Amino acid sequence: MHAVLSHIQALRLWLSMPADQVRQVLDQAPVLLPRERLSVSRHDAMSLSANQGLHLPLHVLVPDASQRRNAVWIKAHYSLAAAELADFYRLSEGLYICSPRLAFLQVASDPRLSDLELIWISHLLCGTWTPAENDWGQEERPALMEPDRCRQLCALRINGAARAAKALALTCGNTASAGEAALALSLVLPHKLGGLHVVSPREVIANPSISITGKNGGTRRPDLLIPSIGLGLEYQGGKAHFGKEACVSDAGRQIELAASNIETLPITMKQLLDDQAMDRIAHIIAKRMGRKYRPRHRVFFERRHHLQQFLYAHMLDPLSCCSSQHVTRKEKEAPEPPEPDPVPYFDELVAE
């Protein structure tokens, strides 16, 4: 068998890999697209699907346009720009995979994927966590994609590059949990997507190292930090914040950060999903930054409710939008709702 996994299958495989395997694969030097001819039987595809938890049809990349295929069990794609990139990794004998950033650009070309889903996937790839079957529900792993390096790839003529660049412009890298990613999205997304839009992604740093002065010294990492106003945001909805010891640890960290002129604002899942609570937080941040928080989009509250539902569902199942079967035939054939009026400053934000 010889195949190069691409598109949604490559993305799903990267995001579901155990942390140790991710490190092992990324330690390799990336290679050019192998020139061997595609060789995958129906039995090979079914075995790979069963072993790796991938849906059929398998999406693969081929080095020559003549090898394109569109069968029930496999779809072979060709891209001249991708074929010239050293953006592929070897998984096993005869099996390769596109790099995370190339797979991200490939799925960005899928019109069935909503803007929110694409931005969420961007946060998954740029984050330092992955879902896992343990007591915490996740484990630490290296970030699969750096926003700046992926923007370089977006400059190439690859389908989905323009849409991927817009999603990256709304991505806060280095988040360490689904809750942190959801909190960042709630703060930075424009009003037309249901976000509070009180800060831009460039004004927020996820998990920065803050040097602590005093007897204990060392460093502390607030979940999100807005350096310009010295405000840290701590998401406290995970298991790491439950129990007496966790409460004592959180209180001690807040005191230590306060000594470094950083005030910490704890935010629970209940607050994150509550309109009034998040409005108060938005007003606090906006006031300290010398801005006015005034949602101007005509369907903001409807979009806000939709975003809350989306974030809650994806905090419970972070990889749900990475399934190639997440769009049913009925949803695909349903007419699209009319597009809202453009928000004046959204294009300016993306262009920055």
Side-chain angles (χ1 to χ4, degrees), residues 84 90 113 160 291:
E84 297 174 350
R90 182 178 179 274
L113 207 64
R291 302 171 181 172

Side-chain angles (χ1 to χ4, degrees), residues 301-351:
F301 295 103
E302 177 186 334
R303 297 296 174 86
R304 177 69 190 158
H305 180 63
H306 173 69
L307 177 62
Q308 289 169 341
Q309 290 180 319
F310 176 90
L311 294 177
Y312 180 68
H314 285 75
M315 281 191 286
L316 296 179
D317 184 6
L319 302 185
S320 60
C321 61
C322 299
S323 168
S324 59
Q325 303 296 315
H326 77 286
V327 178
T328 65
R329 182 176 297 274
K330 182 177 179 181
E331 290 171 332
K332 186 177 179 181
E333 294 175 353
E336 290 291 326
E339 283 292 322
D341 295 335
V343 180
Y345 47 81
F346 178 61
D347 290 335
E348 297 174 8
L349 173 65
V350 172

Side-chain angles (χ1 to χ4, degrees), residues 25-272:
V25 175
L26 291 180
D27 281 344
Q28 306 175 35
V31 298
L32 290 168
L33 179 65
R35 307 305 297 178
E36 288 89 342
R37 188 172 183 83
L38 174 68
S39 174
V40 181
S41 67
R42 184 189 293 267
H43 180 267
D44 291 334
M46 294 180 67
S47 298
L48 189 60
S49 173
N51 293 336
Q52 302 293 346
L54 304 175
H55 292 287
L56 294 178
L58 289 181
H59 289 264
V60 297
L61 202 63
V62 292
D64 188 88
S66 64
Q67 298 182 43
R68 286 175 173 167
R69 297 177 66 179
N70 189 1
V72 175
W73 50 278
I74 193 167
K75 290 186 182 294
H77 306 265
Y78 170 73
S79 169
L80 177 61
E84 297 174 350
L85 295 172
D87 253 64
F88 302 90
Y89 293 88
R90 182 178 179 274
L91 292 178
S92 60
E93 184 66 33
L95 183 62
Y96 293 79
I97 188 171
C98 292
S99 69
R101 63 175 187 164
L102 181 56
F104 178 64
L105 264 66
Q106 291 167 343
V107 299
S109 66
D110 187 348
R112 298 174 301 172
L113 207 64
S114 72
D115 290 341
L116 278 180
E117 288 174 321
L118 188 62
I119 296 169
W120 178 259
I121 289 173
S122 178
H123 277 80
L124 288 176
L125 291 171
C126 295
T128 58
W129 62 280
T130 187
E133 296 181 0
N134 55 27
D135 292 340
W136 308 107
Q138 66 177 56
E139 63 178 346
E140 185 179 354
R141 60 137 169 82
L144 296 173
M145 185 173 77
E146 296 177 10
D148 291 339
R149 289 194 63 196
C150 191
R151 288 190 190 98
Q152 296 173 4
L153 199 62
C154 290
L156 302 177
R157 298 183 64 181
I158 299 177
N159 288 342
R163 192 169 177 229
K166 289 185 177 182
L168 287 167
L170 296 170
T171 299
C172 296
N174 208 40
T175 54
S177 69
E180 291 179 22
L183 178 57
L185 280 172
S186 187
L187 294 174
V188 307
L189 285 182
H191 296 154
K192 80 168 190 177
L193 293 178
L196 301 174
H197 192 54
V198 287
V199 289
S200 73
R202 294 186 179 183
E203 296 173 314
V204 181
I205 304 175
N207 294 288
S209 294
I210 306 296
S211 297
I212 302 299
T213 58
K215 181 175 62 176
N216 295 329
T219 60
R220 298 293 181 269
R221 294 178 179 270
D223 293 344
L224 299 176
L225 176 66
I226 307 175
S228 60
I229 57 175
L231 181 64
L233 303 170
E234 287 285 330
Y235 177 73
Q236 296 192 332
K239 294 182 179 179
H241 298 279
F242 290 163
K244 182 177 179 180
E245 291 183 3
C247 291
V248 172
S249 175
D250 288 341
R253 181 163 61 168
Q254 291 177 20
I255 294 172
E256 291 171 335
L257 288 171
S260 298
N261 299 316
I262 295 176
E263 182 181 353
T264 305
L265 188 63
I267 299 175
T268 65
M269 178 186 283
K270 183 177 180 181
Q271 290 173 312
L272 180 59

